[in-house]
Amino acid sequence: MKRLTYFDNSATSFPKPPAVAAAISHYLTEIGGSYGRSANTRTFTVARTIEQCRDALAQELGVSQAENIGFTANATQAANTVINGLDLEGGRVLISPMEHNAIARPLEALRLAGKITVEPLPAHPDGTIDCDRIHVPEDTRLVIINHQSNVNGVTQPLETLRKTIHSAPVMIDASQSLGKHNFLAEQWGLDFVVFTGHKGLMGPTGTGGFWAKNPERISPLLLGGTGSNSEHLSMPDSLPDRFEAGTPNIAGLFGLEAALANKPEQAYTQSNLHELLAAIRDIPAFQLYAATNPRQQGSLFSLTHESMDSGELAWKLDSLFGIETRSGLHCAPLAHQHLGTAPSGTCRISLSPYHTADDLGYLLEAFQELA
Amino acid sequence: MARQFLLLENTRAVIQAENHLKELNIPCRVMPVPRAISSECGMCLEITPPVKEPQLEKIKALALPSTIVALD
């Protein structure tokens, strides 16, 4: 079997399940048609597939109202929709220390405009939020938590955190975790979840979205045609149309629907991953950045080398071993500040469910040779 | 007899309603919304042949966000 040396799955997963490309090709070459703009056979076929995709995502998220899921181009657009669509003015937003710029930048724009204050939640050195020290002031309008860090893979205990935060609305960035973890948004009492389709869900780029428990609290980010209520110049209230102006990424959603219906079994075991991390810890030249509690470890981690910067390490892994990784700040400067790895960043290794124990062994051999 | 249409608020609702009508063995087809009913550019369901009680009551019991419209 050919060795899989692509370890940049937190940027975008590869390979995809074969059904993804087949579904996209099927749409582009045989189906055609739009979504919701007419009532011809092709358009209705498209609508059926897109709604099947929405229903499958509801199952993945652990929610009952699939129409409360709005499709967007990516998690960034979804996060902007929620953050800018809520009435946060004059209030406080609490965030985890591991937030990505998809969250940090829209919040910073609101902060600079004098509309909100932003404060980090207390956390342990690996980024795990410290439930015992959480204080949620009365003027808190939103708490945002990165479910799984895209830098060290630490996965936050959402059910426990939700109870600690009490009644303040909670938004989760599930970009790295959805598709990899059993997700129970309703059972955990979450209010908003933003996600992407092309990472853990194994779909194509250009797909993503958000789920809202109470979507009426969000004003839509984009305004335009929906194929419904066309005689009115304001956006319809009905869901999901309220948040889906413009023709969606139909080819992409065909691919995402196929990905959700054809999820691969993970080829490596959690023990394989933990053994790899333990072996890296034993190499003095490397500093590992991972979850302190192995049960909170996601399928990615970072490292630095005592004498090479992260870019050089990534380049050597690629040029000498064909191992593809990502170096730098990973669009998450706040996380790197918390971990003490800013501004130089780290070299990140992110796994695919298609990786085998042999692939992880090859990765370890490369680290040992570069030590 | 007048033609009978089920008007729904959007595409997702049309698909859900079609599934429900199939489960109730009530034949229907997807149609562009007739101009005489609405300038809406989307789709609706035509119940064909039109139904009376008790099927009509079964449709209402689904509590869909819909309107049943008869058109000569």
Coordinates of all heavy atoms in Angstrom, one line a residue, chain A residues 36-39 44 47-48 51 54-55 66-67 227-231 238-239 241, chain B residues 9-12 14-16 18-19 22 30-32 38-44:
Chain A
G36 N -33.7 25.8 -5.5 CA -34.8 26.6 -5.1 C -35.2 27.8 -6.0 O -36.0 28.6 -5.6
R37 N -34.7 27.8 -7.2 CA -35.0 28.9 -8.1 C -36.0 28.6 -9.1 O -36.5 29.5 -9.9 CB -33.7 29.4 -8.8 CG -32.9 30.5 -8.1 CD -32.6 30.1 -6.7 NE -31.7 31.1 -6.1 CZ -31.3 31.1 -4.9 NH1 -31.7 30.1 -4.0 NH2 -30.5 32.0 -4.4
S38 N -36.4 27.4 -9.3 CA -37.4 27.0 -10.2 C -38.0 25.7 -9.8 O -37.6 25.2 -8.7 CB -36.8 26.9 -11.6 OG -35.5 26.4 -11.6
A39 N -38.8 25.0 -10.6 CA -39.4 23.8 -10.2 C -39.2 22.7 -11.2 O -40.0 21.8 -11.2 CB -40.9 24.0 -9.9
F44 N -35.1 20.2 -8.7 CA -35.7 19.5 -7.5 C -34.7 18.4 -7.1 O -34.6 18.2 -5.9 CB -37.1 18.9 -7.9 CG -37.8 18.5 -6.7 CD1 -38.2 19.5 -5.7 CD2 -38.2 17.2 -6.5 CE1 -38.9 19.1 -4.6 CE2 -38.9 16.9 -5.4 CZ -39.3 17.8 -4.4
A47 N -32.2 20.1 -5.0 CA -32.7 20.5 -3.7 C -32.8 19.3 -2.8 O -32.5 19.4 -1.6 CB -34.1 21.1 -3.9
R48 N -33.2 18.1 -3.3 CA -33.3 16.9 -2.5 C -31.9 16.6 -1.9 O -31.8 16.3 -0.7 CB -33.7 15.7 -3.4 CG -35.1 15.4 -3.4 CD -35.3 14.1 -4.2 NE -36.7 14.0 -4.5 CZ -37.6 13.7 -3.6 NH1 -37.3 13.6 -2.3 NH2 -38.9 13.6 -4.0
E51 N -30.8 19.1 0.8 CA -31.5 18.9 2.0 C -31.1 17.6 2.7 O -31.2 17.6 4.0 CB -33.0 19.0 1.8 CG -33.5 20.4 1.4 CD -32.9 21.6 2.2 OE1 -32.8 21.4 3.4 OE2 -32.6 22.6 1.6
R54 N -28.2 18.6 4.6 CA -28.5 19.4 5.8 C -29.0 18.4 6.9 O -28.6 18.6 8.1 CB -29.6 20.4 5.5 CG -29.6 21.6 6.4 CD -30.8 22.5 6.2 NE -30.9 23.0 4.8 CZ -30.4 24.1 4.3 NH1 -29.6 24.8 5.1 NH2 -30.5 24.4 3.0
D55 N -29.8 17.4 6.5 CA -30.3 16.5 7.5 C -29.1 15.6 8.1 O -29.1 15.4 9.3 CB -31.3 15.5 6.9 CG -32.6 16.2 6.6 OD1 -32.9 17.2 7.2 OD2 -33.3 15.7 5.7
A66 N -33.0 20.6 11.5 CA -32.0 20.8 10.5 C -32.1 22.1 9.8 O -31.1 22.7 9.3 CB -32.1 19.6 9.4
E67 N -33.3 22.7 9.8 CA -33.5 24.0 9.1 C -32.8 25.1 9.9 O -32.6 26.2 9.3 CB -35.0 24.3 8.9 CG -35.8 24.3 10.1 CD -36.4 22.9 10.4 OE1 -35.8 21.9 10.0 OE2 -37.5 22.8 10.9
G227 N -35.0 32.7 -3.8 CA -36.0 31.8 -4.5 C -37.4 31.8 -3.8 O -38.3 31.2 -4.3
S228 N -37.4 32.4 -2.6 CA -38.7 32.4 -1.8 C -39.0 33.8 -1.5 O -38.1 34.7 -1.4 CB -38.5 31.5 -0.6 OG -37.4 32.0 0.2
N229 N -40.3 34.0 -1.3 CA -40.8 35.4 -0.9 C -40.3 36.5 -1.8 O -40.0 37.6 -1.4 CB -40.3 35.7 0.5 CG -41.4 35.5 1.6 OD1 -42.4 34.9 1.3 ND2 -41.2 36.2 2.7
S230 N -40.2 36.2 -3.1 CA -39.5 37.1 -4.0 C -40.2 38.4 -4.2 O -39.5 39.4 -4.6 CB -39.3 36.4 -5.4 OG -38.6 35.2 -5.3
E231 N -41.4 38.5 -3.9 CA -42.1 39.8 -4.1 C -41.8 40.8 -3.0 O -42.1 42.0 -3.1 CB -43.7 39.6 -4.1 CG -44.3 39.0 -2.8 CD -44.3 37.5 -2.8 OE1 -43.3 36.8 -3.3 OE2 -45.3 36.9 -2.3
S238 N -38.3 32.7 7.0 CA -38.3 31.2 7.1 C -36.9 30.7 7.0 O -36.0 31.3 6.4 CB -39.2 30.7 6.0 OG -38.5 30.8 4.7
L239 N -36.7 29.6 7.6 CA -35.4 28.9 7.7 C -35.3 27.7 6.7 O -36.4 27.1 6.6 CB -35.1 28.4 9.1 CG -35.0 29.5 10.1 CD1 -35.0 28.9 11.5 CD2 -33.8 30.4 9.9
D241 N -33.8 29.7 4.5 CA -33.6 30.8 3.5 C -33.1 32.1 4.1 O -32.4 32.9 3.4 CB -35.0 31.0 2.8 CG -35.4 29.8 2.0 OD1 -35.1 28.7 2.4 OD2 -36.2 30.0 1.1
Chain B
E9 N -43.3 27.6 2.4 CA -42.5 28.8 2.6 C -41.2 28.8 1.9 O -40.6 29.8 1.6 CB -42.4 29.2 4.1 CG -41.7 28.1 4.9 CD -41.7 28.4 6.4 OE1 -42.4 29.4 6.8 OE2 -41.0 27.7 7.1
N10 N -40.6 27.6 1.6 CA -39.4 27.5 0.9 C -39.1 26.1 0.4 O -39.9 25.2 0.6 CB -38.2 28.0 1.8 CG -38.1 27.2 3.1 OD1 -38.3 26.0 3.1 ND2 -37.7 27.9 4.2
T11 N -38.0 26.0 -0.3 CA -37.6 24.7 -0.9 C -37.6 23.5 0.1 O -38.1 22.4 -0.2 CB -36.3 24.8 -1.6 OG1 -36.4 25.9 -2.6 CG2 -35.9 23.6 -2.4
R12 N -36.9 23.8 1.2 CA -36.8 22.7 2.2 C -38.2 22.2 2.6 O -38.4 21.0 2.7 CB -36.0 23.1 3.4 CG -35.9 22.0 4.4 CD -34.9 22.4 5.6 NE -35.1 21.4 6.6 CZ -34.4 20.2 6.6 NH1 -33.7 19.9 5.6 NH2 -34.6 19.3 7.5
V14 N -40.9 22.3 0.9 CA -41.5 21.5 -0.2 C -41.1 20.1 -0.1 O -41.9 19.2 -0.3 CB -41.2 22.2 -1.6 CG1 -41.6 21.3 -2.7 CG2 -41.8 23.5 -1.7
I15 N -39.8 19.9 0.0 CA -39.2 18.5 0.1 C -39.8 17.8 1.3 O -40.2 16.6 1.2 CB -37.7 18.6 0.1 CG1 -37.2 19.0 -1.3 CG2 -37.1 17.3 0.5 CD1 -35.8 19.4 -1.4
Q16 N -39.8 18.4 2.4 CA -40.4 17.8 3.6 C -41.8 17.4 3.4 O -42.3 16.3 3.7 CB -40.2 18.6 4.8 CG -38.8 18.8 5.3 CD -38.6 19.6 6.5 OE1 -39.1 20.7 6.6 NE2 -37.9 19.1 7.5
E18 N -43.4 16.9 0.6 CA -43.6 15.8 -0.4 C -43.4 14.5 0.2 O -44.1 13.5 0.0 CB -42.6 16.0 -1.6 CG -42.9 15.1 -2.8 CD -41.7 14.8 -3.6 OE1 -40.6 14.8 -3.1 OE2 -41.9 14.5 -4.8
N19 N -42.3 14.4 1.1 CA -42.1 13.2 1.8 C -43.3 12.8 2.7 O -43.7 11.6 2.8 CB -40.8 13.3 2.7 CG -39.6 13.4 1.9 OD1 -39.5 13.0 0.7 ND2 -38.5 14.0 2.4
K22 N -46.2 11.5 0.6 CA -45.9 10.1 0.1 C -46.2 9.1 1.2 O -46.8 8.1 1.0 CB -44.4 10.0 -0.3 CG -44.1 10.4 -1.7 CD -42.6 10.2 -2.0 CE -42.3 10.7 -3.4 NZ -40.9 10.8 -3.6
V30 N -44.3 18.2 -8.0 CA -43.7 19.5 -7.7 C -44.0 20.4 -8.9 O -43.8 20.0 -10.1 CB -42.2 19.3 -7.5 CG1 -41.5 20.7 -7.3 CG2 -41.9 18.4 -6.4
M31 N -44.4 21.6 -8.7 CA -44.8 22.6 -9.7 C -44.2 23.9 -9.4 O -44.0 24.3 -8.3 CB -46.3 22.8 -9.7 CG -47.1 21.5 -10.1 SD -47.2 21.4 -11.9 CE -48.2 22.9 -12.3
P32 N -44.0 24.7 -10.5 CA -43.7 26.2 -10.2 C -45.0 26.8 -9.6 O -46.1 26.3 -9.9 CB -43.5 26.8 -11.6 CG -43.1 25.6 -12.5 CD -43.9 24.4 -11.9
S38 N -49.5 33.5 -6.8 CA -48.4 34.3 -6.3 C -47.4 34.6 -7.3 O -47.2 33.8 -8.3 CB -47.7 33.5 -5.1 OG -46.5 34.1 -4.7
S39 N -46.7 35.7 -7.1 CA -45.6 36.0 -8.0 C -44.3 35.4 -7.5 O -43.2 35.6 -8.1 CB -45.4 37.6 -8.1 OG -45.2 38.1 -6.8
E40 N -44.4 34.5 -6.5 CA -43.3 33.7 -6.0 C -42.6 33.0 -7.1 O -43.2 32.5 -8.1 CB -44.0 32.7 -5.1 CG -43.1 31.7 -4.5 CD -42.1 32.3 -3.6 OE1 -42.5 33.0 -2.6 OE2 -40.9 32.3 -3.9
C41 N -41.3 32.9 -7.1 CA -40.5 32.3 -8.1 C -40.1 30.8 -7.8 O -39.5 30.2 -8.6 CB -39.3 33.1 -8.5 SG -38.0 33.2 -7.2
G42 N -40.6 30.3 -6.7 CA -40.1 29.0 -6.3 C -41.1 27.9 -6.7 O -41.8 28.0 -7.7
M43 N -41.1 26.8 -5.9 CA -41.9 25.7 -6.2 C -43.0 25.4 -5.2 O -43.0 25.9 -4.0 CB -41.0 24.4 -6.3 CG -40.1 24.2 -5.1 SD -39.0 22.7 -5.2 CE -37.7 23.4 -6.2
C44 N -44.0 24.6 -5.6 CA -45.1 24.2 -4.7 C -45.4 22.8 -5.0 O -44.9 22.2 -5.9 CB -46.3 25.2 -4.8 SG -47.1 25.0 -6.4

